[in-house]
Amino acid sequence: MEQITLALAKGRPAKQTISLLEKTGEHFPELTEESRKLVFHNLDQSIKVIFVKAVDVPTYVEKGAADIGIVGKDNILESLADVYELLDLKIGKCKFSVAGKADHQPSDNQKLTIATKYPNIAKKHFKKKGQPIEIVKLNGSVELAPLIGLADYIVDIVETGNTLRENDLSVLEDIETISTRLIVNKASFATKSMQVNQFINQLKRALE
């Protein structure tokens, strides 16, 4: 049987994803969250796992360097990658939200300034609403932007809301629920359909 390559995201959901892989019955002896290795194989070498940054998983899958990817919906949406999204693993559940100071009142018809790590998701959301915006791309501490007047609002991932509350910010609107998903390269889905479907079915059983 032809080998399939699985791109696995490093970071927060990695531990749960590795645990889920073990439940499928496929064992990767050297694969741990702390490992510095980047390539792993299961016992019969039928599955190769590459361990990459979460933001890069959709690119590896879209370009065919990996047949399958397991990564957060946030990275899939932001990448705009042309891949099949076939399974919700229900790991790392949180949401994309618009947040800001509850008493902030922008002028009517004003172009809003939105600070975010996810410009594509923010643009798509406000375009649907017909609201013109200017994006300020930040890579961290996005909550600071409305506090110091850098932006009217932020678009970010909200899990517990504690960081927002501690900075006197509120969720003003939810955009989309996100969690860890399984994505598949479109060509691989046609040429390795048996292996891909077998792996997906193993994951489905492990999730039950």
Side-chain angles (χ1 to χ4, degrees), residues 13 17 20 68-74 76 84-94 176-184 200 203-208:
T17 307
L20 183 62
I68 297 173
I70 292 180
V71 66
K73 177 81 172 178
D74 50 327
I76 301 167
Y84 292 132
E85 182 187 316
L86 298 180
L87 188 62
D88 182 354
L89 303 184
K90 305 186 187 304
I91 294 171
K93 285 184 179 178
C94 45
E176 182 154 355
T177 301
I178 55 180
S179 57
T180 301
R181 311 293 171 97
L182 180 142
I183 56 176
V184 178
I200 290 173
L203 276 179
K204 284 180 177 175
R205 285 195 292 274
L207 287 167
E208 290 174 355

Side-chain angles (χ1 to χ4, degrees), residues 10 21-22 25 48 50-51 57 69 76 80 86 88 97 100 131 142 147 149 151 153 155 158 174 191 199 203-204:
K10 295 178 180 176
L21 283 178
E22 289 294 320
K48 177 169 72 177
I50 55 175
F51 212 20
V57 171
I76 301 167
L80 306 176
L86 298 180
D88 182 354
S97 300
Q131 170 66 55
V142 178
L147 300 181
Y153 302 113
V155 167
V158 177
D174 289 332
T191 59
F199 181 70
L203 276 179
K204 284 180 177 175

Side-chain angles (χ1 to χ4, degrees), residues 1-16:
M1 186 182 291
E2 195 174 356
Q3 185 182 71
I4 56 172
T5 300
L6 167 64
L8 190 63
K10 295 178 180 176
R12 196 175 36 153
K15 187 175 181 180
Q16 289 172 280

Side-chain angles (χ1 to χ4, degrees), residues 16-77:
Q16 289 172 280
T17 307
I18 292 169
S19 173
L20 183 62
L21 283 178
E22 289 294 320
K23 289 180 184 172
T24 66
E26 300 292 349
H27 299 294
F28 299 84
E30 297 177 292
L31 178 58
T32 66
E33 189 185 0
E34 298 80 16
S35 177
R36 289 180 175 271
K37 283 191 68 175
L38 299 174
V39 181
F40 307 85
H41 292 88
N42 63 342
L43 292 176
D44 67 3
Q45 305 278 310
S46 61
I47 303 174
K48 177 169 72 177
V49 168
I50 55 175
F51 212 20
V52 301
K53 284 187 73 171
V55 70
D56 293 331
V57 171
T59 302
Y60 276 83
V61 176
E62 182 182 37
K63 300 298 182 187
D67 303 298
I68 297 173
I70 292 180
V71 66
K73 177 81 172 178
D74 50 327
N75 291 297
I76 301 167
L77 290 172

Side-chain angles (χ1 to χ4, degrees), residues 61 64 66-68 184-194 196:
V61 176
D67 303 298
I68 297 173
V184 178
N185 173 272
K186 290 189 168 180
S188 298
F189 192 64
T191 59
K192 299 182 180 179
S193 59
M194 186 174 73
V196 168

